Amino acid sequence: MKTTASVIVLMVLLGVPLHGRADEPEIDMEAFDFVFSVKPWIIAGSLEDNPDIRDFMGNAELRGAYKWQRHTISLMLRNHLESGFSKGAFQVDWSFPIHRRLRGYTQYFNGYGESLIDYNVHSNTIGVGISFTDYF
């Protein structure tokens, strides 16, 4: 898994073993059953076309994934705290083995911003599919 410099610094501070070349270190995720990430963003440019996008999308996304045996469950949370938790989104994913590297995938999404074109439309969706890779 390739990482950015800020994640590498955090992982070194936490004592996570790093492997690979100096310019492309990799984190050995086999030793961990839980992964957590924060994805902050800032609005760049004009908001004249979408003046309320920050109200619905917030300023960051939190994501965690837990691996149990060969199953992976992940949760995504996104909210603009000033909205009083009336806007935002959450998503739950479940990945499970089907055959060797082939995995089944289910997803539930509730909230705003499932796609950027409909960022201000509340949606409830369920998705089912297959994948050839996983978080771990």
Side-chain angles (χ1 to χ4, degrees), residues 4-76:
T4 61
S6 60
V7 173
I8 293 168
V9 170
L10 177 63
M11 299 309 258
V12 168
L13 292 174
L14 293 174
V16 175
L18 298 175
H19 305 284
R21 299 187 336 223
D23 60 337
E24 292 184 1
E26 297 179 1
I27 297 173
D28 184 5
M29 298 304 290
E30 296 297 321
F32 301 97
D33 293 331
F34 183 77
V35 175
F36 180 79
S37 69
V38 177
K39 183 168 62 171
W41 53 77
I42 59 169
I43 305 293
S46 172
L47 289 176
E48 69 182 48
D49 292 334
N50 303 317
D52 59 347
I53 194 167
R54 181 176 283 134
D55 296 337
F56 292 92
M57 299 297 290
N59 296 315
E61 180 178 289
L62 305 175
R63 186 174 294 270
Y66 178 73
K67 184 175 182 179
W68 177 70
Q69 295 178 353
R70 294 186 59 212
H71 297 257
T72 303
I73 299 169
S74 69
L75 175 67
M76 180 275 297

Side-chain angles (χ1 to χ4, degrees), residues 92 105-110 114 123-129:
V92 178
Y105 184 79
T106 61
Q107 178 184 84
Y108 173 70
F109 179 89
N110 181 303
E114 185 174 28
S123 61
N124 259 328
T125 60
I126 295 175
V128 178

